[in-house]
């Protein structure tokens, strides 16, 4: 009797045997690979971190390399620098190391570390100093698209801006190194704007109080010649190693600005103290401020919010909060030789006048045209193309009711009475007159917050802070979500409101200022 398994069962047994053999072979192969990997030396690693303060470059690193020599160096200027390598001993326990070197006087470009086997480099690593934030509007591509003469002017402007920025940084770095401070301290903060107190007796500027304030203001003048904003001058003169600004972002935010009345008001104050007391340091400070104002002006006549240039919307030609308007107003006074700027010589008055004229031409060029018709202005304009641009989330590309009204008031009272200015003003007035908002009443809602509701009986006449460029309809952008809403009510339901979204300023422009403007034109034979 045949007791052997049937054919199908024998076939299954052979398959099982083959599979067992394959798995055994695979296991042996994987084991061999693992043993080979364990036996093979790990890939050489070398990682660096560099921390820079005003006193030193502090380098930390880790490595798994065993080498007979370790070297490091700092390149101060650029990749072309020829700097000798220095030796250091690497602890062998965990492969971690620390190094420090005094900050080179001119800054640093790159830190490099390498491991050697004899003269052979096993591994090399380096950390390059981070580049400053790239400009958003004043970009190389945009500059290269300009005609040659304009390209030359813009490149020269950027070069001067970088030189001033470097000088600002080096001045503070030197102070910190001299007092052995690893970092600068921010300036004390004051939430109030500094505005030159002109509604006081002239004798105030000769008082001990004004003298003390002038000294404090001078101490906070940046090396480039300007002032920051929100500095508490009541805390006394700036100690060495203290920054010129209260702002964040490594201390260089708003370091020299026209925002919130800054710089122009300090110049006026120092000039008034000089007029009353003949203080040479106040006169020198005012002159340095005027030189900053001339240097900060773009080749096309506009002014950025911050100079030396700071990346972002700070590069834009800034009408917001009347920044450019304050620059024009001050230069007009200097050009005319008005007090307290009688100390300015003829050459400076001519330069101020030329800068003022370029500024007026820039204002006219920035006036937004929609379907071939002039309207008003945006709060910010592109520094090169002059087109409207956005700033913060709550400040979208738009037509501005408030800033346009203030700018028009300046042109109507103090601007040149040329045909170009006359035409610009008249078109802007027509636009404002057509975009008044009625049937709206300001109220307080159940939550105790400001709201605006429709009310046919309301006699209030308002203008929106922002209007859509194309449609001319009021718009309301949220400060937190950046969403552009069609009504104030909808925007306020989704955002914390810390901004004036309505204004009454254009009311004066289309009313009494327009009548005043007509009388001014009659005097010069334009009517």
């Amino acid at each position: 009797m045949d007791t052997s398994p049937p054919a199908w069962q024998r076939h299954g047994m052979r398959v099982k045997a083959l599979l067992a053999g394959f798995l055994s072979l695979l296991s042996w192969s994987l084991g061999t690979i693992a043993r080979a990997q364990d036996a093979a030396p790990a890939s050489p690693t070398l990682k660096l971190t560099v921390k820079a303060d005003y006193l030193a470059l502090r380098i930390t690193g880790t490595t798994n390399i065993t080498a007979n020599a370790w070297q490091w160096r700092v390149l101060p200027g650029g990749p072309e620098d020829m700097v000798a390598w220095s030796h250091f001993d690497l602890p062998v326990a965990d492969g971690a190391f620390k190094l420090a070197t005094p900050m080179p006087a001119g800054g640093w470009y790159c830190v490099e570390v390498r491991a050697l086997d004899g003269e052979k480099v096993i591994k090399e690593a380096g950390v390059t100093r981070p580049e400053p934030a790239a400009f958003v509007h004043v970009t190389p591509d945009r500059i290269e698209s300009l005609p040659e003469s304009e390209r030359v002017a813009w490149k020269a402007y950027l070069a001067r801006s970088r030189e001033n920025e470097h000088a600002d940084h080096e001045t503070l770095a030197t102070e910190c190194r001299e007092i052995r401070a690893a970092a600068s301290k921010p300036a004390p903060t004051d939430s109030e704007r500094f505005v030159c107190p002109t509604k006081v007796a002239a004798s105030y500027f000769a008082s001990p109080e004004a003298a003390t304030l002038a000294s404090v203001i001078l101490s906070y003048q940046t090396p480039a010649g300007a002032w920051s904003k929100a500095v508490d001058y009541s805390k006394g003169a700036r100690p060495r190693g203290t920054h010129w600004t209260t702002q964040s972002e490594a201390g260089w935010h708003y370091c020299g600005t026209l925002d919130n009345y800054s710089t122009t008001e300090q110049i006026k104050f120092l000039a008034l103290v000089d007029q009353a007391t003949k203080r040479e340091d106040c006169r020198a400070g005012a002159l340095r401020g005027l030189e900053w104002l001339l240097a900060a002006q773009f080749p096309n006549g506009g002014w950025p919010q911050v100079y030396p240039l700071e990346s972002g919307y700070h590069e834009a030609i800034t009408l917001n909060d009347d920044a450019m308007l304050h620059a024009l107003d001050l230069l007009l006074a200097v050009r005319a030789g008005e007090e307290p700027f009688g100390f300015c010589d003829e050459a400076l008055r001519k330069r101020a006048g030329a800068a003022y004229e370029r500024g007026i031409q820039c204002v006219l060029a920035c006036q937004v045209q929609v379907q071939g018709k002039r309207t008003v202005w945006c709060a910010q304009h592109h520094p090169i193309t002059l087109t409207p641009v956005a700033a913060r989330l709550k400040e979208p590309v738009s037509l501005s009711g408030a800033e346009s009204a203030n700018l028009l008031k300046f042109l109507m009272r103090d601007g040149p009475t040329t045909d170009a200015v006359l035409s610009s003003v008249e078109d802007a007035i027509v636009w404002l007159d057509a975009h008044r908002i009625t049937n709206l009443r300001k109220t307080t809602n159940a939550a105790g917050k400001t709201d605006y509701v429709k009310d046919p009986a309301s006699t209030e006449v308002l203008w929106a802070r922002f209007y859509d460029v194309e449609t001319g309809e009021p718009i309301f952008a949220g400060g937190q979500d950046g969403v552009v809403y069609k009504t104030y009510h909808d925007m306020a339901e989704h955002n914390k409101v810390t901004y004036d979204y309505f204004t009454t300023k254009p009311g004066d422009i289309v009313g009494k200022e327009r009548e005043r403007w007509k009388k001014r034109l009659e005097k010069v034979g334009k009517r």
Side-chain angles (χ1 to χ4, degrees):
M1 182 177 178
D2 185 3
T3 59
S4 61
W8 62 269
Q9 191 173 3
R10 290 196 302 272
H11 177 71
M13 293 172 65
R14 285 196 296 271
V15 170
K16 287 182 179 180
L18 288 172
L19 180 59
F22 172 75
L23 291 174
S24 177
L25 178 62
L26 178 61
S27 176
W28 178 85
S29 299
L30 292 174
T32 301
I33 293 172
R35 287 190 298 272
Q37 287 179 335
D38 291 340
S43 300
T45 62
L46 177 57
K47 298 179 180 179
L48 296 181
T49 300
V50 177
K51 180 181 179 181
D53 57 38
Y54 290 113
L55 296 182
L57 286 172
R58 307 185 190 280
I59 306 123
T60 57
T62 58
T63 184
N64 64 354
I65 301 170
T66 301
N68 59 19
W70 288 89
Q71 296 178 334
W72 70 296
R73 67 178 181 180
V74 176
L75 303 182
E80 71 282 355
D81 288 331
M82 299 297 292
V83 178
W85 291 89
S86 298
H87 288 273
F88 71 98
D89 295 327
L90 181 71
V92 296
D94 59 359
F97 59 90
K98 295 181 180 180
L99 299 164
T101 184
M103 175 66 72
W108 65 289
Y109 167 72
C110 184
V111 173
E112 297 178 334
V113 173
R114 66 184 186 182
L116 300 172
D117 181 6
E119 295 184 356
K120 180 183 178 182
V121 177
I122 303 173
K123 188 73 173 179
E124 185 172 345
V127 173
T128 302
R129 183 187 63 197
E131 290 291 332
F135 291 132
V136 174
H137 300 302
V138 187
T139 60
D141 289 347
R142 181 67 69 181
I143 292 174
E144 288 302 323
S145 69
L146 295 171
E148 182 178 0
S149 61
E150 295 181 36
R151 285 201 307 271
V152 171
W154 275 99
K155 289 179 179 179
Y157 179 90
L158 284 179
R160 290 193 302 271
S161 176
R162 293 189 188 101
E163 288 171 4
N164 280 313
E165 181 180 21
H166 178 73
D168 285 358
H169 283 236
E170 273 304 296
T171 299
L172 190 58
T174 299
E175 286 185 2
C176 288
R177 288 195 291 267
E178 288 175 351
I179 65 173
R180 304 298 298 167
S184 62
K185 295 180 179 179
T189 303
D190 185 355
S191 60
E192 297 296 322
R193 297 175 175 180
F194 174 78
V195 178
C196 181
T198 54
K199 294 182 179 180
V200 295
S203 59
Y204 163 78
F205 295 99
S207 69
E209 180 185 354
T212 298
L213 180 56
S215 296
V216 175
I217 287 173
L218 285 169
S219 74
Y220 277 100
Q221 187 172 23
T222 69
W227 284 266
S228 185
K229 62 178 183 176
V231 175
D232 187 353
Y233 296 135
S234 70
K235 301 300 183 184
R238 183 184 73 89
R240 291 174 63 78
T242 299
H243 217 299
W244 300 280
T245 176
T246 67
Q247 306 298 306
S248 58
E249 299 182 18
W252 298 104
H253 195 31
Y254 287 102
C255 193
T257 184
L258 290 170
D259 193 36
N260 288 4
Y261 292 81
S262 296
T263 299
T264 50
E265 294 299 301
Q266 284 87 346
I267 292 172
K268 290 178 187 176
F269 183 83
L270 294 176
L272 284 164
V273 172
D274 169 66
Q275 182 186 29
T277 65
K278 306 304 178 185
R279 273 183 60 172
E280 289 295 330
D281 59 342
C282 288
R283 178 178 297 190
L287 285 170
R288 284 183 57 219
L290 288 171
E291 291 294 341
W292 177 91
L293 195 60
L294 294 170
Q297 187 179 30
F298 285 136
N300 58 20
W303 272 271
Q305 187 189 57
V306 178
Y307 180 87
L309 278 188
E310 182 179 341
S311 180
Y313 66 84
H314 314 289
E315 305 164 46
I317 293 171
T318 304
L319 303 180
N320 194 11
D321 288 338
D322 306 324
M324 182 170 168
L325 182 56
H326 294 154
L328 290 172
D329 186 49
L330 185 62
L331 290 173
L332 182 60
V334 173
R335 182 181 77 166
E338 295 178 1
E339 294 297 349
F341 299 106
F343 59 81
C344 296
D345 61 22
E346 182 64 22
L348 181 54
R349 289 199 295 271
K350 287 182 177 179
R351 292 169 60 206
Y356 169 81
E357 294 294 342
R358 290 196 302 274
I360 293 295
Q361 293 306 311
C362 181
V363 166
L364 298 181
C366 285
Q367 190 171 11
V368 181
Q369 294 194 30
V370 178
Q371 296 180 354
K373 292 183 178 181
R374 276 191 293 255
T375 61
V376 286
W377 291 264
C378 185
Q380 302 83 211
H381 287 259
H382 193 286
I384 296 178
T385 68
L386 307 185
T387 55
V389 293
R392 294 171 291 184
L393 288 177
K394 59 189 176 185
E395 296 162 338
V397 171
S398 61
L399 300 175
S400 169
E403 277 75 18
S404 295
N406 289 344
L407 183 56
L408 279 170
K409 184 177 180 179
F410 175 78
L411 290 175
M412 295 162 78
R413 289 191 176 192
D414 300 305
T417 54
T418 62
D419 290 343
V421 171
L422 189 152
S423 179
S424 170
V425 167
E426 291 296 337
D427 287 348
I429 290 175
V430 169
W431 191 92
L432 286 175
D433 203 15
H435 287 80
R436 61 180 71 203
I437 300 171
T438 57
N439 302 328
L440 202 63
R441 178 169 53 86
K442 185 177 181 179
T443 185
T444 302
N445 61 25
K449 296 181 179 180
T450 298
D451 203 349
Y452 291 84
V453 297
K454 290 184 178 181
D455 182 0
S458 174
T459 59
E460 294 184 61
V461 180
L462 302 170
W463 281 261
R465 181 76 178 259
F466 306 116
Y467 291 85
D468 183 272
V469 173
E470 296 300 327
T471 67
E473 295 295 320
I475 55 176
F476 307 88
Q480 281 73 53
D481 61 17
V483 174
V484 176
Y485 297 88
K486 291 186 177 181
T487 69
Y488 175 93
H489 177 81
D490 289 341
M491 179 277 300
E493 277 197 335
H494 298 88
N495 293 270
K496 181 180 179 181
V497 180
T498 58
Y499 208 62
D500 294 328
Y501 285 87
F502 288 99
T503 180
T504 59
K505 291 178 180 179
D508 285 343
I509 303 302
V510 301
K512 64 181 181 180
E513 288 297 333
R514 191 174 196 180
E515 293 304 314
R516 183 173 179 167
W517 167 244
K518 290 178 180 178
K519 291 179 180 179
R520 184 183 176 208
L521 294 180
E522 288 174 358
K523 288 182 180 180
V524 297
K526 290 288 186 178
R527 288 291 188 188

